[in-house]
Amino acid sequence: MKTIKNIFLVSMVLFLASCEKEIDVEIPLTTEKLVVEGAIEQNQPPFVLLTRSSDYFAPTDINTLKNIFVHDAIVTVSNGTNSVQLQELCTENLPDSLLDEISVLIGISVIDIKTFGFCLYTTLNTSIFGEVGKTYTLSIQAEGHDLSASTTIPAPIAMNYYYYEDQPGFSNYGYLWFNQTDPPEYGNAYRIFTQRKGKDGRFLPADGSVWDDKLLNGLTFNAFIFRGHEPNSTAVEDNNETSEYFLQGDTVFVKFCTIDLPHFEFWETFETAAFNNANPFAAPTTVKTNIQGGGLGVWGGYGASFDTIVLQD
Amino acid sequence: MVSKLLKIKEALTIQSFFSVVGMTGFEPATPRPPDVYSNRAELHPELLTYFASRLHVLSLNFARSKIVISCRVNRFIVILFLVFVAATGAFAQKKYTISGYVKDISNGENSIGATVYIKELLKGTTTNAYGFYSITIQEGDYTMVVSYVGYKDIEKKVTLNKNLQFNFEIEEDVITTEEFKVVGEREDKNTQEAVMSTVELEVQKVKSLPAIFGEIDVLKTIQLLPGVQSAGEGNAGFYVRGGGPDQNLILLDGAAIYNASHLFGFFSVFNADAIKDIKLIKGGMPAEYGGRLSSVLDITMNDGNFKEYKVDGGIGLISSRLTVQGPIKKDTASFIISGRRTYIGDLVQPFISDSSKFKGSNYYFYDLNAKFNYILSRKDRLYLSGYFGRDVFTFVNKDDGFSMNTPWGNSTVSLRWNHLFNDKLFLNTSAIYTNYKFEVELGQNDFEFKLYSGIRDWNAKLDFNYLPSILHNVKFGANYIFHKFIPSNATAESGDVEFNTGDIVINYANDMALYLSDDWDINEKLKVHGGLRYSAFQHVGPFKRYNNDEFGNPKDTVVYDKGETVKFYHGLEPRFTMRYAFNDANSVKASFTQNYQYIHLASFASVSLPTDVWVPSTDLVAPQFSTQYAVGYFKNLKENKYETSIEMYYKDMQNQIEYKDGALPKDNAGNNVDNAFTFGRGWSYGAELFFKKRYGKLNGWIGYTLSWTKRNFEELNNGLDFYTRYDRRHDASIVLTWELSKRWSLGATWVYATGNALTLPVSRYFVNGQLVNEYGERNWYRMAPYHRMDLSLTLKGKEEKKFKSSWNFSVYNVYNRQNPYFIYFTSEGNIYEGSLDIMAKQVSLFGIIPSVTWNFSF
């Protein structure tokens, strides 16, 4: 993905001495919206992070950021037969032993959770844990907002196989390849995560983690993924010239999920927006949402399948 | 899975189209008006004799019918009769035609728009695009004057008692002292023609202006005119009176150029050495032009020197040019071949080390213009011209095995035949081919991705010019274009597996038009241009319409067979311009024009890119339609040394096209591009001021435009009105050239424009620990104003016999203004650590850029 950005950079550098400066932009006042980041996976409890949007240049110190969490919301998840209200849990009040599980569930590293302090809505009521094929409806009442969303957990599809290849020009670095067969009907979409054993604390979405079958319908094909990073990572290996590759010899856990199309559209536009930021040739990408009632974010179901690969040429 | 529905529609062939509109019986139907000027002409002795004989016959007739007429009544009838005869003297008096060509004496090239007038009548005409003129007046002794800006006037006494042919050869006026030009300068073209919102530029003037990297660019020069808005750097698209860049018809020797820019828009495809004449029509479009809403930029290539061989060239910082021209047969046939190529990418190559991961990356563009013309006889002349240009961009990144190769560009061929049926009727027949294509090949590891898009036209045109009398200039003709659109044809494969990128959806269309117009001098004060254009557009099969669900996945398709009509549109486009002259130097003008546009350019990005695709009007996309009203006051001062004008316009544009919110380029694969469109309305109004000093040591112009441009789309911006990106409240330019001495001359330009309107985020939120932008109302933000001054200094070498050379030094952006190119928001740090820093950054492209070019000719 970075490469395509490079194309624009190189084309400019070849000809132009472009010049950049920081400017002040006066932003008009906007109304605050609620932001949902919620997911449900088979055999897992649903969880919802509920935050609010803020002015673009609002302060970014920790105390201000803690205030982006919305408390005391009524958050309900229903699967058509059961309806369960989620409880608010704040990590400050939880024992350290539980943080690992929270980290895996919400996809935020333990370190970040500890320094920052998270609040999330979840439940231990197993009757609402994810089941394949079911549709889950989320409803939220908070601070005068009334939001709703629904998602399904599609049947998981396993990859045919995974393999590793050195990237030409590199020894011991390369992409993680896979061979996949897409079902014959249109409308399948996927999201993939990896976790390097002993290196990553959790499953990280690949860089470019989603795809659908618009161009791939019914095909069996090989493709590769770019290694994903912790957001805003400052680690050397996440910022050097091999940052998009995996290292030969690593053991990698892969979580490969099928997702429904509205869920796919959120991550598709989310990743496009991140990619297009600072690209003058692209129109600003509005990140789509499947939240109804004026909210932002996503409520997404995952049909997950898991594999473990030892990376060997 | 995919149901195929066959729709049978009546296929409308071209023949039936022409028979419907009565092509065969198509003739100028305007009745000949009485020639009111002739009442000022003295009665000729011969005529009196003629009267007398007619009177005799008349009275005989009265006598024979045995009607008793009193003396008084009789006298009354005689007077009436005399008045009638005097008033319709034209019918009684003999009229003859003077016609011919006006050429440049030095090279035999046709002079376009030269004035040919009759001193005694204070009336005249201008030469057409092929240098031809024709004047039909009563017999008598006259003084003809041929005048052309920058050339010496020619006066010729003629005794007109039969049809005459004169070819004039005009000579360049090297001494441009003010005194000289005042003599005999009778050209009030600006105030006197029933033409408004039209500007002609002389290529020599364009060449004397400063240019970035010394690359003379006619597209950048026309953006210095009022009413024409530049998009700033890195964008060759221009915006005329609130219209989009696809609403400009850019013609090179009659062939449409679909993408007039090189290097993502930094340079235009027009090599100034190959160009003779530039005409821009931004309103009051005559009926002979059509197919676009906003403007016509009609560029004529040089014909080639009829007299002697000549070589011109230039060596610049980033490119070089070479032009060779000469006679194939003196005064009968000539050729010109002109080429240009950039080499900055090649110059950089040696400095990229072999180990660099970008080794093998390069960029260059080149242009080739060629033209041959052959005078078969006094009545027939053939032109064959062509243009071929390519941008080639190769990008290699060895690190990740990535390579990209993208050639793109235009090619055109125009074959034209001028034929004089007689001294009053001129015909130009053209056969034109134009092709624009864009290709991209991406490869990484086993992956290969190819994208191909383009448009191809086969165009046939008949243009008649009929000059029945000095009071009329009638034009009529027909045009047929067959379009082939390839919106985006993608193939992708990984190893042996070919991805399903859908069938190639190619669109075919028949594009037809008939027109008739007349420039009519009703009397000395009032002159009108009235025209009517009938245009029609037929989208024909083979065609496949994908009906998709909300996620863009195919639901079903409708298949049209070859030749089957998918959709037929047609309409009348009235064009009307009138001039009322208070005197030679003062006039008011008004125009009303309606235009249809059947082909459209849809752009994802905010700048025009070679990837933008042209699409036809289809079953979903209705043609764009505009109505423009303009009024203007024109005044010339000091014997036409100064031209001034103020014009005001209002333009309404229906069926404007944008992509829907959230549409992505990849959605085009295996789909109809127009499925992603949404439609709305646009309008623009404003005032344009123009002040020009036409000649003298110091000349140039000042232009200023005040305007508002808005759009309204039901599906965009919550249905609220929004300003377009290139809405410009203020747009000003100053252009000066100053002859310091015989060898030194100075050129300067200064431009100012209100900043572009942009959509920026207004709030932020976090998902997965990453910052997400939420955008505000469409184009709510204004970038800082754009302004810039450029200077150029030209030093002519000492004149040797044959070899001439000059140095051109130019400085772009003299005071190093950091004009905004784009603005982006970025963040650094980690929100969870509270170290997040959010910034708005403005990127500027060009600071101060000096350059030098050496030009030569022999």
Side-chain angles (χ1 to χ4, degrees), chain B residues 554-817:
Chain B
K555 246 176 12 197
D556 59 53
T557 53
V558 183
V559 176
Y560 297 86
D561 283 339
K562 189 176 177 185
E564 206 181 329
T565 303
V566 180
K567 189 77 188 181
F568 180 72
Y569 294 101
H570 68 120
L572 281 175
E573 306 173 34
R575 314 284 174 82
F576 181 80
T577 304
M578 62 140 277
R579 176 223 68 192
Y580 183 84
F582 301 106
N583 52 44
D584 285 348
N586 279 280
S587 68
V588 287
K589 299 182 190 181
S591 74
F592 168 80
T593 46
Q594 289 192 315
N595 292 36
Y596 279 102
Q597 177 165 342
Y598 298 100
I599 65 173
H600 325 275
L601 185 69
S603 180
F604 279 106
S606 43
V607 298
S608 54
L609 284 179
T611 50
D612 294 350
V613 291
W614 284 91
V615 292
S617 294
T618 62
D619 47 337
L620 288 188
V621 183
Q624 301 181 50
F625 179 67
S626 74
T627 305
Q628 188 179 163
Y629 309 87
V631 288
Y633 174 68
F634 297 77
K635 185 176 176 64
N636 290 356
L637 300 162
K638 297 217 169 174
E639 297 280 332
N640 299 324
K641 192 197 266 184
Y642 302 101
E643 274 180 17
T644 62
S645 67
I646 174 165
E647 289 191 33
M648 280 174 283
Y649 73 91
Y650 178 87
K651 182 156 82 177
D652 178 82
M653 295 168 279
Q654 301 292 337
N655 301 326
Q656 300 298 288
I657 295 171
E658 295 275 357
Y659 275 100
K660 284 176 188 160
D661 263 338
L664 297 170
K666 75 167 184 70
D667 296 341
N668 287 346
N671 196 355
N672 301 115
V673 175
D674 51 10
N675 279 333
F677 292 165
T678 178
F679 308 96
R681 170 179 170 252
W683 63 99
S684 178
Y685 50 92
E688 298 162 5
L689 295 164
F690 193 49
F691 177 86
K692 184 176 177 182
K693 184 163 182 286
R694 296 183 61 213
Y695 49 87
K697 281 192 172 168
L698 177 70
N699 61 58
W701 72 78
I702 298 171
Y704 170 74
T705 310
L706 174 72
S707 65
W708 287 262
T709 303
K710 284 188 163 187
R711 295 283 188 274
N712 184 293
F713 283 69
E714 214 180 300
E715 291 189 294
L716 299 178
N717 202 37
N718 299 319
L720 301 171
D721 295 354
F722 59 90
Y723 287 111
T724 61
R725 181 176 166 93
Y726 300 102
D727 166 60
R728 292 281 157 76
R729 200 68 59 251
H730 307 285
D731 192 90
S733 51
I734 300 174
V735 177
L736 293 174
T737 54
W738 192 11
E739 235 170 90
L740 300 168
S741 72
K742 274 195 173 176
R743 291 185 61 198
W744 287 96
S745 62
L746 182 76
T749 57
W750 183 78
V751 291
Y752 176 92
T754 303
N756 288 339
L758 283 190
T759 310
L760 287 187
V762 288
S763 68
R764 61 164 200 230
Y765 59 99
F766 297 95
V767 170
N768 192 34
Q770 278 171 271
L771 184 79
V772 184
N773 297 333
E774 206 206 343
Y775 291 90
E777 270 189 42
R778 202 175 177 94
N779 296 336
W780 66 269
Y781 180 75
R782 282 286 168 174
M783 298 210 286
Y786 183 100
H787 55 91
R788 192 189 82 226
M789 183 164 85
D790 307 333
L791 289 175
S792 73
L793 199 57
T794 306
L795 172 65
K796 282 188 199 150
K798 282 193 180 135
E799 293 236 350
E800 286 165 47
K801 262 211 163 158
K802 190 94 172 76
F803 189 84
K804 286 178 194 161
S805 70
S806 69
W807 286 94
N808 179 285
F809 306 92
S810 42
V811 183
Y812 184 87
N813 199 356
V814 172
Y815 54 85
N816 197 25
R817 158 87 179 163

Side-chain angles (χ1 to χ4, degrees), chain A residues 3 19 33 56 60 170 268 281, chain B residues 399-400 605 666 774 836 844:
Chain A
T3 303
C19 159
K33 287 182 179 173
Y56 204 83
T60 53
F170 291 90
E268 166 88 341
F281 299 109
Chain B
D399 267 12
D400 47 13
K666 75 167 184 70
E774 206 206 343
L836 191 75
S844 306

Side-chain angles (χ1 to χ4, degrees), chain A residues 142-210:
Chain A
E143 301 181 349
H145 297 273
D146 200 346
L147 308 179
S148 68
S150 93
T151 189
T152 53
I153 301 181
I157 294 170
M159 287 289 188
N160 299 333
Y161 53 89
Y162 293 91
Y163 60 103
Y164 167 87
E165 263 177 21
D166 265 359
Q167 183 63 10
F170 291 90
S171 53
N172 296 328
Y173 283 100
Y175 297 118
L176 175 62
W177 289 75
F178 58 81
N179 181 282
Q180 188 199 343
T181 302
D182 180 76
E185 312 79 33
Y186 276 103
N188 299 102
Y190 310 97
R191 189 158 195 236
I192 196 164
F193 303 81
T194 61
Q195 179 178 11
R196 294 169 302 165
K197 188 182 173 189
K199 291 187 175 175
D200 300 323
R202 61 181 182 105
F203 276 113
L204 295 166
D207 191 1
S209 67
V210 288

Side-chain angles (χ1 to χ4, degrees), chain A:
Chain A
M1 298 292 267
K2 278 180 188 159
T3 303
I4 297 170
K5 245 179 190 173
N6 276 333
I7 292 167
F8 294 112
L9 289 177
V10 168
S11 59
M12 290 199 170
V13 169
L14 267 172
F15 296 94
L16 330 155
S18 67
C19 159
E20 200 174 278
K21 71 173 182 187
E22 203 176 327
I23 55 162
D24 285 328
V25 171
E26 254 181 62
I27 303 269
L29 283 176
T30 48
T31 48
E32 182 182 287
K33 287 182 179 173
L34 294 192
V35 183
V36 177
E37 188 180 351
I40 183 162
E41 185 180 316
Q42 82 265 32
N43 308 323
Q44 296 286 323
F47 80 90
V48 171
L49 292 176
L50 192 60
T51 56
R52 62 189 109 231
S53 66
S54 50
D55 282 355
Y56 204 83
F57 291 108
T60 53
D61 59 275
I62 285 195
N63 285 329
T64 319
L65 288 177
K66 275 181 180 168
N67 285 330
I68 69 172
F69 284 100
V70 176
H71 301 289
D72 306 322
I74 300 168
V75 180
T76 316
V77 176
S78 148
N79 63 6
T81 43
N82 293 328
S83 186
V84 174
Q85 191 186 336
L86 308 189
Q87 292 167 290
E88 187 178 5
L89 288 180
C90 285
T91 53
E92 286 165 326
N93 313 324
L94 290 175
D96 276 7
S97 56
L98 270 177
L99 289 186
D100 278 346
E101 276 172 50
I102 298 281
S103 166
V104 169
L105 183 68
I106 65 175
I108 303 289
S109 73
V110 176
I111 303 163
D112 285 339
I113 290 174
K114 270 188 177 167
T115 43
F116 194 61
F118 264 83
C119 293
L120 73 152
Y121 295 87
T122 188
T123 179
L124 296 173
N125 183 341
T126 53
S127 72
I128 200 70
F129 278 24
E131 286 174 66
V132 169
K134 284 201 168 166
T135 297
Y136 292 87
T137 310
L138 173 74
S139 79
I140 297 171
Q141 280 94 41
E143 301 181 349
H145 297 273
D146 200 346
L147 308 179
S148 68
S150 93
T151 189
T152 53
I153 301 181
I157 294 170
M159 287 289 188
N160 299 333
Y161 53 89
Y162 293 91
Y163 60 103
Y164 167 87
E165 263 177 21
D166 265 359
Q167 183 63 10
F170 291 90
S171 53
N172 296 328
Y173 283 100
Y175 297 118
L176 175 62
W177 289 75
F178 58 81
N179 181 282
Q180 188 199 343
T181 302
D182 180 76
E185 312 79 33
Y186 276 103
N188 299 102
Y190 310 97
R191 189 158 195 236
I192 196 164
F193 303 81
T194 61
Q195 179 178 11
R196 294 169 302 165
K197 188 182 173 189
K199 291 187 175 175
D200 300 323
R202 61 181 182 105
F203 276 113
L204 295 166
D207 191 1
S209 67
V210 288
W211 65 95
D212 67 347
D213 62 354
K214 216 172 275 174
L215 306 181
L216 303 167
N217 188 41
L219 295 175
T220 297
F221 60 95
N222 295 331
F224 60 79
I225 58 168
F226 296 83
R227 182 168 69 79
H229 311 141
E230 282 289 352
N232 317 307
S233 168
T234 51
V236 176
E237 63 161 4
D238 289 343
N239 291 286
N240 62 15
E241 59 169 19
T242 55
S243 62
E244 65 199 43
Y245 303 125
F246 291 88
L247 179 64
Q248 185 158 205
D250 276 357
T251 299
V252 177
F253 307 121
V254 184
K255 175 167 133 181
F256 174 56
C257 306
T258 48
I259 58 180
D260 65 17
L261 287 174
H263 185 187
F264 163 77
E265 285 197 324
F266 170 82
W267 291 111
E268 166 88 341
T269 49
F270 175 85
E271 289 179 349
T272 307
F275 172 68
N276 277 345
N277 193 22
N279 177 358
F281 299 109
T285 310
T286 302
V287 177
K288 289 187 180 174
T289 180
N290 64 351
I291 309 296
Q292 308 284 310
L296 298 166
V298 66
W299 167 237
Y302 291 101
S305 68
F306 296 86
D307 278 287
T308 304
I309 309 109
V310 178
L311 303 183
Q312 281 303 335
D313 228 340

Side-chain angles (χ1 to χ4, degrees), chain B residues 212-387:
Chain B
I212 186 161
F213 298 118
E215 282 301 307
I216 292 140
D217 190 337
V218 299
L219 286 189
K220 291 279 184 255
T221 308
I222 62 153
Q223 290 166 14
L224 297 169
L225 297 165
V228 185
Q229 270 115 49
S230 148
E233 279 127 355
N235 193 342
F238 58 95
Y239 299 79
V240 178
R241 292 184 170 174
D246 69 325
Q247 295 176 359
N248 306 315
L249 177 63
I250 301 177
L251 297 173
L252 181 64
D253 267 0
I257 300 288
Y258 284 100
N259 186 318
S261 69
H262 284 305
L263 181 59
F264 307 110
F266 290 100
F267 302 103
S268 83
V269 299
F270 303 109
N271 175 356
D273 282 356
I275 290 168
K276 174 157 78 178
D277 187 78
I278 302 154
K279 182 158 97 176
L280 176 77
I281 304 166
K282 55 188 178 174
M285 202 185 282
E288 59 195 287
Y289 296 106
R292 302 290 189 284
L293 295 191
S294 289
S295 81
V296 178
L297 180 64
D298 195 350
I299 296 175
T300 313
M301 270 161 60
N302 279 320
D303 297 333
N305 200 314
F306 276 98
K307 312 269 182 186
E308 55 181 359
Y309 285 95
K310 215 167 161 268
V311 177
D312 297 88
I315 296 172
L317 285 182
I318 65 158
S319 81
S320 284
R321 296 167 275 122
L322 191 71
T323 303
V324 182
Q325 54 181 318
I328 297 170
K329 190 178 169 195
K330 202 174 174 193
D331 291 322
T332 304
S334 71
F335 76 96
I336 179 168
I337 295 175
S338 186
R340 171 173 72 155
R341 190 190 191 277
T342 58
Y343 37 63
I344 192 95
D346 303 298
L347 292 180
V348 173
Q349 290 299 309
F351 303 102
I352 301 175
S353 73
D354 287 345
S355 58
S356 161
K357 59 180 179 178
F358 297 124
K359 183 77 184 177
S361 300
N362 197 357
Y363 171 83
Y364 60 89
F365 68 76
Y366 60 91
D367 294 306
L368 267 178
N369 293 75
K371 190 164 178 176
F372 300 88
N373 82 91
Y374 188 50
I375 302 175
L376 300 166
S377 70
R378 200 188 73 78
K379 293 193 162 182
D380 294 280
R381 192 164 172 172
L382 269 183
Y383 297 84
L384 177 65
S385 57
Y387 165 80

Side-chain angles (χ1 to χ4, degrees), chain B residues 404-445:
Chain B
M404 178 170 105
N405 187 24
T406 62
W408 74 93
N410 303 279
S411 37
T412 71
V413 181
S414 312
L415 176 67
R416 288 181 291 175
W417 169 44
N418 287 176
H419 178 69
L420 267 182
F421 286 102
N422 55 50
D423 297 331
K424 296 176 184 174
L425 187 61
F426 180 95
L427 166 67
N428 177 53
T429 309
S430 322
I432 298 162
Y433 169 77
T434 174
N435 183 0
Y436 170 70
K437 65 175 184 176
F438 174 80
E439 281 175 82
V440 109
E441 286 174 36
L442 294 170
Q444 185 168 18
N445 296 46

